Amino acid sequence: MTYKSPGVAPGASADPTEHTPAAALGQIFVAPEVLVTIVRQVVSSEPGVARLSGRVGGRRKAGRGQIATSDGVRIAVDEQNGVTVDLRIIVTAGVNMVEMAHALQNLVTRAIEHMVEMKVHGVNVHIDDVELSSSDEAAGPPNPSPAKAKGQHK
């Protein structure tokens, strides 16, 4: 990632020891593996996520972008430093998966955009499994209300 500073604001001090524009000092590069670490931290702290899955999906697109992967996380950075994240997670039983997935999308996007100022094109959440506790396994599947037979009326 290359960070370009907007320069010194009008009316601000031009003293180079006080406010040296980042562009005057050089460029900043962030390895895609750093993004993987950021994403892993965000995901592991979210309630409802049992763990990241060991699987990583997705294919490499043609182009000069960079890709980094780790258990359950795939980061693709395109030529314009745009980021696409693929998460593969295992959730805890009883969690609202849709709400949790939306929360992860928002949290990951904010973390990347705030910490490294890169544009996030998308965060794809793949739920690979549900982790049941030992008490959930013993109880078996939940009992849905019985369906009415055809032609039955109340």
Short mmCIF file of all heavy atoms in Angstrom, two decimals, residues 63-112:
data_model
loop_
_atom_site.label_atom_id
_atom_site.label_comp_id
_atom_site.label_asym_id
_atom_site.label_seq_id
_atom_site.Cartn_x
_atom_site.Cartn_y
_atom_site.Cartn_z
N GLY A 63 -3.77 -10.68 -13.12
CA GLY A 63 -3.43 -9.31 -12.78
C GLY A 63 -2.21 -9.28 -11.90
O GLY A 63 -1.60 -10.29 -11.60
N ARG A 64 -1.86 -8.07 -11.47
CA ARG A 64 -0.65 -7.91 -10.67
C ARG A 64 -0.96 -7.72 -9.19
O ARG A 64 -0.12 -7.28 -8.44
CB ARG A 64 0.13 -6.72 -11.20
CG ARG A 64 0.63 -6.93 -12.60
CD ARG A 64 1.51 -5.81 -13.09
NE ARG A 64 1.40 -4.59 -12.34
CZ ARG A 64 1.37 -3.38 -12.86
NH1 ARG A 64 1.41 -3.23 -14.15
NH2 ARG A 64 1.30 -2.31 -12.09
N GLY A 65 -2.12 -8.06 -8.76
CA GLY A 65 -2.47 -7.91 -7.36
C GLY A 65 -1.73 -8.90 -6.48
O GLY A 65 -1.07 -9.81 -6.96
N GLN A 66 -1.85 -8.69 -5.18
CA GLN A 66 -1.20 -9.57 -4.22
C GLN A 66 -2.26 -10.30 -3.41
O GLN A 66 -3.33 -9.76 -3.14
CB GLN A 66 -0.31 -8.77 -3.28
CG GLN A 66 0.83 -8.08 -3.97
CD GLN A 66 1.66 -7.27 -2.99
OE1 GLN A 66 1.17 -6.82 -1.97
NE2 GLN A 66 2.92 -7.11 -3.30
N ILE A 67 -1.92 -11.54 -3.02
CA ILE A 67 -2.84 -12.34 -2.22
C ILE A 67 -2.09 -12.90 -1.02
O ILE A 67 -0.95 -13.33 -1.14
CB ILE A 67 -3.44 -13.49 -3.05
CG1 ILE A 67 -4.33 -12.91 -4.14
CG2 ILE A 67 -4.21 -14.45 -2.17
CD1 ILE A 67 -4.97 -13.92 -5.03
N ALA A 68 -2.74 -12.88 0.14
CA ALA A 68 -2.20 -13.50 1.35
C ALA A 68 -3.30 -14.35 1.95
O ALA A 68 -4.47 -13.96 1.95
CB ALA A 68 -1.73 -12.45 2.34
N THR A 69 -2.93 -15.52 2.44
CA THR A 69 -3.91 -16.41 3.05
C THR A 69 -3.38 -16.95 4.38
O THR A 69 -2.18 -17.03 4.60
CB THR A 69 -4.25 -17.61 2.14
OG1 THR A 69 -3.05 -18.35 1.90
CG2 THR A 69 -4.86 -17.16 0.84
N SER A 70 -4.30 -17.27 5.23
CA SER A 70 -4.02 -17.95 6.49
C SER A 70 -5.30 -18.69 6.82
O SER A 70 -6.34 -18.42 6.23
CB SER A 70 -3.68 -16.93 7.57
OG SER A 70 -3.41 -17.58 8.79
N ASP A 71 -5.26 -19.60 7.76
CA ASP A 71 -6.45 -20.38 8.08
C ASP A 71 -7.69 -19.51 8.16
O ASP A 71 -7.81 -18.66 9.03
CB ASP A 71 -6.27 -21.11 9.41
CG ASP A 71 -5.31 -22.28 9.31
OD1 ASP A 71 -4.96 -22.66 8.18
OD2 ASP A 71 -4.92 -22.80 10.36
N GLY A 72 -8.59 -19.71 7.21
CA GLY A 72 -9.87 -19.02 7.24
C GLY A 72 -9.88 -17.60 6.72
O GLY A 72 -10.93 -16.97 6.66
N VAL A 73 -8.74 -17.05 6.32
CA VAL A 73 -8.68 -15.67 5.82
C VAL A 73 -7.93 -15.63 4.50
O VAL A 73 -6.85 -16.20 4.36
CB VAL A 73 -7.97 -14.73 6.83
CG1 VAL A 73 -7.90 -13.31 6.29
CG2 VAL A 73 -8.66 -14.75 8.18
N ARG A 74 -8.53 -14.95 3.54
CA ARG A 74 -7.87 -14.71 2.25
C ARG A 74 -8.00 -13.22 1.96
O ARG A 74 -9.10 -12.67 1.97
CB ARG A 74 -8.54 -15.51 1.15
CG ARG A 74 -7.93 -15.29 -0.23
CD ARG A 74 -8.70 -16.13 -1.26
NE ARG A 74 -8.15 -15.98 -2.57
CZ ARG A 74 -8.46 -15.02 -3.44
NH1 ARG A 74 -9.34 -14.09 -3.09
NH2 ARG A 74 -7.91 -14.95 -4.62
N ILE A 75 -6.87 -12.57 1.70
CA ILE A 75 -6.84 -11.14 1.40
C ILE A 75 -6.31 -10.98 -0.02
O ILE A 75 -5.25 -11.51 -0.35
CB ILE A 75 -5.90 -10.38 2.35
CG1 ILE A 75 -6.30 -10.56 3.81
CG2 ILE A 75 -5.79 -8.91 1.97
CD1 ILE A 75 -7.47 -9.78 4.26
N ALA A 76 -7.04 -10.25 -0.84
CA ALA A 76 -6.57 -9.92 -2.18
C ALA A 76 -6.46 -8.41 -2.28
O ALA A 76 -7.40 -7.68 -1.95
CB ALA A 76 -7.54 -10.45 -3.23
N VAL A 77 -5.29 -7.93 -2.71
CA VAL A 77 -5.04 -6.51 -2.88
C VAL A 77 -4.82 -6.26 -4.36
O VAL A 77 -3.93 -6.87 -4.96
CB VAL A 77 -3.81 -6.04 -2.06
CG1 VAL A 77 -3.58 -4.55 -2.24
CG2 VAL A 77 -3.96 -6.40 -0.59
N ASP A 78 -5.63 -5.38 -4.95
CA ASP A 78 -5.50 -5.12 -6.38
C ASP A 78 -4.47 -4.02 -6.66
O ASP A 78 -3.85 -3.50 -5.74
CB ASP A 78 -6.85 -4.79 -7.01
CG ASP A 78 -7.50 -3.51 -6.47
OD1 ASP A 78 -6.78 -2.64 -5.95
OD2 ASP A 78 -8.73 -3.39 -6.57
N GLU A 79 -4.31 -3.69 -7.93
CA GLU A 79 -3.28 -2.72 -8.34
C GLU A 79 -3.52 -1.32 -7.76
O GLU A 79 -2.59 -0.55 -7.60
CB GLU A 79 -3.21 -2.62 -9.87
CG GLU A 79 -2.78 -3.89 -10.56
CD GLU A 79 -3.94 -4.83 -10.82
OE1 GLU A 79 -5.11 -4.40 -10.79
OE2 GLU A 79 -3.68 -6.03 -11.06
N GLN A 80 -4.77 -0.97 -7.45
CA GLN A 80 -5.09 0.33 -6.88
C GLN A 80 -5.15 0.29 -5.36
O GLN A 80 -5.70 1.19 -4.72
CB GLN A 80 -6.43 0.85 -7.43
CG GLN A 80 -6.42 1.21 -8.89
CD GLN A 80 -6.54 -0.02 -9.78
OE1 GLN A 80 -7.19 -0.99 -9.44
NE2 GLN A 80 -5.89 0.02 -10.93
N ASN A 81 -4.60 -0.75 -4.74
CA ASN A 81 -4.59 -0.95 -3.29
C ASN A 81 -5.99 -1.14 -2.71
O ASN A 81 -6.23 -0.84 -1.54
CB ASN A 81 -3.86 0.18 -2.56
CG ASN A 81 -2.38 0.09 -2.76
OD1 ASN A 81 -1.81 -0.99 -2.79
ND2 ASN A 81 -1.75 1.23 -2.94
N GLY A 82 -6.91 -1.64 -3.52
CA GLY A 82 -8.22 -2.02 -3.01
C GLY A 82 -8.15 -3.42 -2.43
O GLY A 82 -7.41 -4.27 -2.93
N VAL A 83 -8.90 -3.66 -1.38
CA VAL A 83 -8.82 -4.92 -0.65
C VAL A 83 -10.14 -5.69 -0.75
O VAL A 83 -11.21 -5.10 -0.59
CB VAL A 83 -8.51 -4.66 0.84
CG1 VAL A 83 -8.45 -5.95 1.64
CG2 VAL A 83 -7.21 -3.88 0.99
N THR A 84 -10.03 -6.99 -1.00
CA THR A 84 -11.18 -7.89 -0.91
C THR A 84 -10.81 -8.97 0.09
O THR A 84 -9.74 -9.55 0.02
CB THR A 84 -11.52 -8.52 -2.27
OG1 THR A 84 -11.79 -7.47 -3.20
CG2 THR A 84 -12.73 -9.42 -2.18
N VAL A 85 -11.72 -9.22 1.04
CA VAL A 85 -11.47 -10.17 2.11
C VAL A 85 -12.46 -11.32 1.99
O VAL A 85 -13.65 -11.10 1.78
CB VAL A 85 -11.66 -9.49 3.50
CG1 VAL A 85 -11.42 -10.48 4.62
CG2 VAL A 85 -10.77 -8.28 3.64
N ASP A 86 -11.96 -12.54 2.10
CA ASP A 86 -12.79 -13.73 2.20
C ASP A 86 -12.54 -14.36 3.56
O ASP A 86 -11.39 -14.64 3.91
CB ASP A 86 -12.47 -14.73 1.09
CG ASP A 86 -13.08 -14.33 -0.23
OD1 ASP A 86 -14.31 -14.46 -0.36
OD2 ASP A 86 -12.32 -13.89 -1.12
N LEU A 87 -13.61 -14.54 4.32
CA LEU A 87 -13.53 -15.17 5.64
C LEU A 87 -14.25 -16.50 5.59
O LEU A 87 -15.34 -16.60 5.05
CB LEU A 87 -14.22 -14.32 6.70
CG LEU A 87 -13.70 -12.93 6.95
CD1 LEU A 87 -14.60 -12.20 7.93
CD2 LEU A 87 -12.28 -12.99 7.47
N ARG A 88 -13.66 -17.51 6.18
CA ARG A 88 -14.32 -18.80 6.34
C ARG A 88 -14.33 -19.08 7.84
O ARG A 88 -13.27 -19.18 8.46
CB ARG A 88 -13.60 -19.88 5.56
CG ARG A 88 -13.57 -19.56 4.06
CD ARG A 88 -13.22 -20.74 3.23
NE ARG A 88 -14.36 -21.60 3.02
CZ ARG A 88 -15.23 -21.47 2.01
NH1 ARG A 88 -15.10 -20.50 1.16
NH2 ARG A 88 -16.24 -22.31 1.89
N ILE A 89 -15.54 -19.14 8.41
CA ILE A 89 -15.66 -19.24 9.86
C ILE A 89 -16.53 -20.41 10.29
O ILE A 89 -17.34 -20.93 9.51
CB ILE A 89 -16.23 -17.94 10.47
CG1 ILE A 89 -17.61 -17.63 9.90
CG2 ILE A 89 -15.28 -16.78 10.25
CD1 ILE A 89 -18.32 -16.49 10.59
N ILE A 90 -16.36 -20.77 11.54
CA ILE A 90 -17.23 -21.73 12.21
C ILE A 90 -17.90 -20.95 13.35
O ILE A 90 -17.22 -20.26 14.10
CB ILE A 90 -16.43 -22.92 12.75
CG1 ILE A 90 -15.80 -23.65 11.55
CG2 ILE A 90 -17.31 -23.85 13.58
CD1 ILE A 90 -14.81 -24.71 11.91
N VAL A 91 -19.22 -21.02 13.39
CA VAL A 91 -19.97 -20.22 14.36
C VAL A 91 -20.44 -21.09 15.51
O VAL A 91 -20.52 -22.31 15.40
CB VAL A 91 -21.18 -19.52 13.69
CG1 VAL A 91 -20.73 -18.59 12.59
CG2 VAL A 91 -22.18 -20.53 13.16
N THR A 92 -20.76 -20.44 16.62
CA THR A 92 -21.31 -21.16 17.77
C THR A 92 -22.81 -21.37 17.55
O THR A 92 -23.47 -20.58 16.88
CB THR A 92 -21.08 -20.39 19.08
OG1 THR A 92 -21.63 -19.08 18.95
CG2 THR A 92 -19.61 -20.28 19.40
N ALA A 93 -23.33 -22.44 18.12
CA ALA A 93 -24.75 -22.76 17.98
C ALA A 93 -25.61 -21.66 18.59
O ALA A 93 -25.24 -21.07 19.61
CB ALA A 93 -25.05 -24.09 18.65
N GLY A 94 -26.71 -21.38 17.96
CA GLY A 94 -27.68 -20.44 18.50
C GLY A 94 -27.46 -18.99 18.09
O GLY A 94 -28.30 -18.14 18.38
N VAL A 95 -26.37 -18.68 17.42
CA VAL A 95 -26.10 -17.31 17.03
C VAL A 95 -26.91 -16.98 15.76
O VAL A 95 -27.17 -17.85 14.93
CB VAL A 95 -24.58 -17.09 16.79
CG1 VAL A 95 -24.11 -17.82 15.55
CG2 VAL A 95 -24.26 -15.61 16.66
N ASN A 96 -27.34 -15.73 15.64
CA ASN A 96 -27.99 -15.29 14.42
C ASN A 96 -26.88 -15.07 13.39
O ASN A 96 -26.13 -14.10 13.45
CB ASN A 96 -28.77 -13.99 14.66
CG ASN A 96 -29.51 -13.54 13.42
OD1 ASN A 96 -29.02 -13.64 12.30
ND2 ASN A 96 -30.72 -13.02 13.62
N MET A 97 -26.77 -15.99 12.47
CA MET A 97 -25.65 -16.00 11.53
C MET A 97 -25.64 -14.81 10.59
O MET A 97 -24.58 -14.27 10.28
CB MET A 97 -25.65 -17.31 10.74
CG MET A 97 -25.40 -18.52 11.59
SD MET A 97 -25.43 -20.00 10.59
CE MET A 97 -25.93 -21.19 11.83
N VAL A 98 -26.80 -14.38 10.16
CA VAL A 98 -26.88 -13.24 9.24
C VAL A 98 -26.43 -11.96 9.94
O VAL A 98 -25.61 -11.20 9.41
CB VAL A 98 -28.30 -13.09 8.66
CG1 VAL A 98 -28.42 -11.83 7.82
CG2 VAL A 98 -28.66 -14.32 7.83
N GLU A 99 -26.93 -11.72 11.15
CA GLU A 99 -26.52 -10.53 11.90
C GLU A 99 -25.03 -10.54 12.20
O GLU A 99 -24.35 -9.53 12.09
CB GLU A 99 -27.32 -10.41 13.21
CG GLU A 99 -28.75 -9.99 13.02
CD GLU A 99 -29.52 -9.90 14.33
OE1 GLU A 99 -28.89 -10.00 15.41
OE2 GLU A 99 -30.75 -9.74 14.27
N MET A 100 -24.51 -11.71 12.60
CA MET A 100 -23.09 -11.81 12.92
C MET A 100 -22.23 -11.59 11.67
O MET A 100 -21.22 -10.90 11.72
CB MET A 100 -22.77 -13.17 13.53
CG MET A 100 -21.35 -13.24 14.02
SD MET A 100 -20.68 -14.90 14.01
CE MET A 100 -21.10 -15.46 12.41
N ALA A 101 -22.66 -12.12 10.53
CA ALA A 101 -21.91 -11.93 9.29
C ALA A 101 -21.89 -10.45 8.88
O ALA A 101 -20.84 -9.93 8.48
CB ALA A 101 -22.51 -12.78 8.18
N HIS A 102 -23.02 -9.77 9.02
CA HIS A 102 -23.07 -8.33 8.72
C HIS A 102 -22.16 -7.55 9.67
O HIS A 102 -21.45 -6.62 9.25
CB HIS A 102 -24.50 -7.78 8.81
CG HIS A 102 -25.36 -8.16 7.65
ND1 HIS A 102 -25.12 -7.74 6.36
CD2 HIS A 102 -26.46 -8.94 7.59
CE1 HIS A 102 -26.05 -8.23 5.56
NE2 HIS A 102 -26.87 -8.97 6.27
N ALA A 103 -22.17 -7.92 10.94
CA ALA A 103 -21.30 -7.25 11.92
C ALA A 103 -19.83 -7.45 11.54
O ALA A 103 -19.03 -6.52 11.60
CB ALA A 103 -21.57 -7.78 13.32
N LEU A 104 -19.47 -8.67 11.14
CA LEU A 104 -18.09 -8.94 10.73
C LEU A 104 -17.70 -8.11 9.50
O LEU A 104 -16.60 -7.56 9.44
CB LEU A 104 -17.89 -10.43 10.42
CG LEU A 104 -17.75 -11.35 11.62
CD1 LEU A 104 -17.73 -12.80 11.17
CD2 LEU A 104 -16.51 -11.01 12.41
N GLN A 105 -18.60 -8.01 8.55
CA GLN A 105 -18.32 -7.21 7.36
C GLN A 105 -18.02 -5.76 7.75
O GLN A 105 -17.06 -5.17 7.27
CB GLN A 105 -19.50 -7.27 6.38
CG GLN A 105 -19.64 -8.60 5.70
CD GLN A 105 -20.91 -8.70 4.87
OE1 GLN A 105 -21.96 -8.19 5.25
NE2 GLN A 105 -20.81 -9.34 3.72
N ASN A 106 -18.84 -5.20 8.63
CA ASN A 106 -18.64 -3.81 9.06
C ASN A 106 -17.36 -3.64 9.87
O ASN A 106 -16.60 -2.69 9.66
CB ASN A 106 -19.84 -3.32 9.87
CG ASN A 106 -21.07 -3.14 9.00
OD1 ASN A 106 -20.98 -2.73 7.85
ND2 ASN A 106 -22.23 -3.45 9.54
N LEU A 107 -17.12 -4.55 10.81
CA LEU A 107 -15.93 -4.44 11.67
C LEU A 107 -14.64 -4.59 10.88
O LEU A 107 -13.69 -3.83 11.09
CB LEU A 107 -15.99 -5.50 12.78
CG LEU A 107 -17.05 -5.29 13.85
CD1 LEU A 107 -17.21 -6.54 14.70
CD2 LEU A 107 -16.72 -4.07 14.70
N VAL A 108 -14.59 -5.55 9.98
CA VAL A 108 -13.38 -5.76 9.17
C VAL A 108 -13.14 -4.57 8.26
O VAL A 108 -12.01 -4.08 8.14
CB VAL A 108 -13.49 -7.08 8.37
CG1 VAL A 108 -12.41 -7.18 7.31
CG2 VAL A 108 -13.41 -8.28 9.31
N THR A 109 -14.19 -4.07 7.64
CA THR A 109 -14.06 -2.91 6.75
C THR A 109 -13.52 -1.70 7.52
O THR A 109 -12.56 -1.06 7.08
CB THR A 109 -15.42 -2.56 6.11
OG1 THR A 109 -15.84 -3.68 5.32
CG2 THR A 109 -15.31 -1.33 5.22
N ARG A 110 -14.12 -1.41 8.67
CA ARG A 110 -13.67 -0.26 9.47
C ARG A 110 -12.23 -0.42 9.93
O ARG A 110 -11.45 0.53 9.93
CB ARG A 110 -14.59 -0.04 10.66
CG ARG A 110 -15.83 0.75 10.27
CD ARG A 110 -16.64 1.12 11.47
NE ARG A 110 -17.47 -0.05 11.79
CZ ARG A 110 -17.99 -0.32 12.96
NH1 ARG A 110 -17.78 0.47 13.97
NH2 ARG A 110 -18.73 -1.38 13.15
N ALA A 111 -11.86 -1.62 10.36
CA ALA A 111 -10.50 -1.85 10.85
C ALA A 111 -9.46 -1.61 9.76
O ALA A 111 -8.47 -0.91 9.97
CB ALA A 111 -10.36 -3.27 11.41
N ILE A 112 -9.70 -2.15 8.59
CA ILE A 112 -8.73 -1.98 7.49
C ILE A 112 -8.68 -0.52 7.04
O ILE A 112 -7.61 0.05 6.88
CB ILE A 112 -9.06 -2.91 6.31
CG1 ILE A 112 -8.79 -4.37 6.72
CG2 ILE A 112 -8.25 -2.54 5.07
CD1 ILE A 112 -9.23 -5.39 5.71
#
